[in-house]
Amino acid sequence: MDCCGAQDLKSRFNDIQVDLAELDMILAKYKDVKGSLITILQKAQDVYGYLSLPMLDYIAEVTKVNSAKVYGVATFYTQFRLEPVGENLVMLCQGTACHVNGAKTIEEAIVEELGVKEGETTPDGLFTLNNVACLGCCSLSPVMMINGETYGNLTPQKTKEILKQIKTDHEAGKEA
């Protein structure tokens, strides 16, 4: 059943194997609510982890919002991701306090430990590194956030230990 009248666009999802049922529910709730585009994008990203280009086209079609505007909103706000991210999203603060207190050395430690640069995901899909303008934890600088958990007063060694522990916990979870 095609609840939103956009069956032809669904065919674009064949290469990414996405179930649109949850997106259709989001769109059914918000598509006619003026000014709800950001809410739709947020909820879609919450469900799917990122916003693919076919998904943005689908949202545009169903909401009757110009696709350029949907894409423009998705690319303007840094909260939106157009590529899949790792299971653990590492957000490293690059704000003034963190910069002054060694964020660069923390980034170097992360790059060394994970083997990825800013914006990249590890080949195993476990980590993605993103630099962010500010996490609002200046008194803990330098600071990073991983999946909503804040780690402050970082040193390169402490940073590597945190990442190693997450890897270890992941491996232990796979074996259980």
Side-chain angles (χ1 to χ4, degrees):
M1 182 173 135
D2 181 16
C3 74
C4 301
Q7 184 62 39
D8 58 319
L9 282 171
K10 288 184 180 182
S11 66
R12 295 186 192 180
F13 288 89
N14 291 341
D15 61 330
I16 57 173
Q17 301 299 316
V18 94
D19 177 8
L20 293 178
E22 290 190 68
L23 181 56
D24 283 338
M25 289 190 309
I26 294 165
L27 290 167
K29 183 174 181 179
Y30 293 101
K31 71 178 182 158
D32 296 321
V33 178
K34 187 170 176 61
S36 65
L37 179 58
I38 290 175
T39 300
I40 291 168
L41 295 174
Q42 288 169 329
K43 291 187 178 298
Q45 182 169 277
D46 286 346
V47 170
Y48 299 101
Y50 74 106
L51 302 170
S52 68
L53 293 179
M55 193 177 302
L56 295 177
D57 286 341
Y58 186 69
I59 290 168
E61 177 74 21
V62 173
T63 60
K64 308 280 189 267
V65 173
N66 181 296
S67 61
K69 180 176 181 176
V70 173
Y71 183 77
V73 169
T75 57
F76 179 79
Y77 294 101
T78 58
Q79 67 178 300
F80 297 122
R81 297 179 296 273
L82 302 182
E83 298 289 330
V85 295
E87 187 177 319
N88 298 284
L89 179 59
V90 179
M91 296 188 300
L92 178 62
C93 184
Q94 297 293 339
T96 303
C98 288
H99 174 76
V100 168
N101 287 308
K104 185 69 176 160
T105 62
I106 302 308
E107 182 175 5
E108 290 167 359
I110 294 169
V111 168
E112 185 178 313
E113 182 64 30
L114 300 180
V116 295
K117 298 178 197 153
E118 200 284 322
E120 295 180 343
T121 300
T122 56
D124 62 4
L126 193 56
F127 292 96
T128 297
L129 172 60
N130 280 350
N131 287 325
V132 296
C134 184
L135 289 173
C137 304
C138 300
S139 65
L140 300 175
S141 66
V143 66
M144 69 180 172
M145 186 178 286
I146 302 175
N147 300 336
E149 186 170 344
T150 303
Y151 300 89
N153 302 308
L154 295 171
T155 63
Q157 185 58 38
K158 183 177 176 182
T159 301
K160 288 180 179 184
E161 288 170 9
I162 292 165
L163 297 172
K164 286 177 186 172
Q165 186 62 53
I166 292 171
K167 287 180 194 176
T168 300
D169 292 349
H170 176 76
E171 288 301 317
K174 282 174 48 176
E175 294 172 8

